[in-house]
Amino acid sequence: MSLTLEVALALAEDAATLAALHERELTPPVLRELAAIGFPDNLALLPRNAAQAEAFTLMRTAVLTCVDPAIPIDDLAAEFAAIYLTGAYGASPCESVWLSDEHLICQEAMFELRDLYTACGFAVPDWRKRPDDHLVFQLQFLARRLAVLRDDAGLRALAAFLDEHLLRWLPDFATRLAARCEQQFYAALAILTNSWCQQLRDHLAEQLHEPRPTPEEIVERLQPRSQRHPFVAPVRFVPGGAAPSW
C-alpha cells in the first residue's frame, strides 16, 4: 500500500473512528452501525500477520456479542466509566501516568504534547477535564496529521509522534485492559487500537525505507528533552469527567 492522498485520508478516517469509540459511551444505535458496516473489517489497514488478525477477530466478536439485546447496555456504560472516568481498572488513558516515575497525571508528556499540538494549530478544550496526553486527543491528532500528510517530512514527524508518545504506553494500556475488563468490547478495542497503531508505524517505516528504532534508541534520543519543561506540582491520577474533544 503506497501512501497516496487517498490512502492517507482513509487512514485518517480509521484513526478518527478509533478515537470516537474511546471518547464516549456506546449506545445501541452505534453498536448496530458498527455491526452493519462490518467493523473492524471496514478499516483501511487490514491485518498482515497473525497477531493483527487476532486483534480483528476479538473486535469483530465483541461487536457481534454486544449487539445481542441480552447484553445490557448499562454493563458497557459501567465498563466505560471504570476505564475512562473512575480509574477502577488502574489503566489510565493518559500518557503521563504510564511514563512518569510516580505515575501521576499532568506531567512532562502532557506539556510536550501541548507544544506539539500548538505547533500544528490545535488545542484541547479543557486540560483539567481531559488532559492533552489523553488517548482520545492523541488519536485525534494522529487523524488530523494523516489528513494533511503530503511528503517525507510529514511521514517522519508522524513516525516520531508514534515513537515518542503513543506507542511508548499504548501496548501496556491494552495489556492491562485485556487482563482486567469484565466486558469484551473495551478490551478488544484497546488491543485493536494498539495493533492498528503498530501497523501504521510499520507502514511509515516502509514508506521511508527506514527501520523502526528500538525502545532503547527512542529513550536515548529523548534524553536531551528531559529538562525541557519547568517543574509543575505533581497531580495524582484523580478520575473525573471527560470534556468534549476537538
Side-chain angles (χ1 to χ4, degrees):
M1 179 192 294
S2 61
L3 202 57
T4 62
L5 174 58
E6 182 180 5
V7 169
L9 290 175
L11 294 175
E13 186 174 345
D14 281 4
T17 297
L18 293 170
L21 293 174
H22 285 282
E23 182 181 13
R24 59 185 72 93
E25 293 180 15
L26 287 168
T27 62
V30 170
L31 282 168
R32 289 194 293 269
E33 182 179 356
L34 291 174
I37 62 177
F39 184 79
D41 296 306
N42 65 312
L43 295 177
L45 276 183
L46 296 176
R48 295 175 61 181
N49 58 42
Q52 292 162 5
E54 178 63 18
F56 269 63
T57 297
L58 289 171
M59 189 76 256
R60 189 183 305 117
T61 301
V63 169
L64 294 177
T65 299
C66 291
V67 170
D68 187 340
I71 304 297
I73 196 68
D74 288 349
D75 289 352
L76 290 171
E79 188 98 299
F80 179 91
I83 299 166
Y84 302 100
L85 302 178
T86 69
Y89 290 156
S92 172
C94 296
E95 181 175 323
S96 290
V97 177
W98 296 94
L99 299 186
S100 63
D101 291 340
E102 297 184 15
H103 307 294
L104 307 174
I105 63 170
C106 301
Q107 298 302 294
E108 184 177 6
M110 185 186 80
F111 294 98
E112 288 184 351
L113 283 163
R114 182 175 297 171
D115 288 347
L116 184 59
Y117 299 160
T118 299
C120 295
F122 307 130
V124 305
D126 187 345
W127 65 269
R128 295 172 182 84
K129 293 182 178 180
R130 182 178 279 162
D132 305 58
D133 58 343
H134 194 283
L135 174 59
V136 167
F137 289 137
Q138 294 198 45
L139 289 171
Q140 290 178 341
F141 178 74
L142 185 60
R144 294 200 174 202
R145 297 315 297 167
L146 280 164
V148 297
L149 204 56
R150 298 294 183 270
D151 53 28
D152 283 358
L155 291 174
R156 288 194 176 87
L158 204 55
F161 164 70
L162 289 168
D163 290 341
E164 298 172 11
H165 291 285
L166 192 53
L167 290 182
R168 292 183 66 204
W169 65 278
L170 184 58
D172 291 334
F173 174 76
T175 298
R176 187 165 297 181
L177 287 189
R180 299 184 180 182
C181 280
E182 295 181 3
Q183 305 296 321
Q184 186 178 4
F185 185 90
Y186 286 107
L189 178 61
I191 292 169
L192 175 68
T193 302
N194 178 55
S195 176
W196 186 91
C197 290
Q198 297 286 356
Q199 188 175 350
L200 174 63
R201 182 62 184 88
D202 288 340
H203 187 56
L204 295 176
E206 292 172 3
Q207 293 296 306
L208 291 167
H209 305 289
E210 298 172 358
R212 289 179 62 172
T214 65
E216 293 76 18
E217 289 170 337
I218 293 170
V219 169
E220 183 177 355
R221 92 184 178 204
L222 291 176
Q223 287 303 318
R225 290 166 29 178
S226 61
Q227 302 301 320
R228 177 172 296 180
H229 293 283
F231 175 77
V232 177
V235 182
R236 294 202 173 275
F237 176 36
V238 180
S245 55
W246 287 321

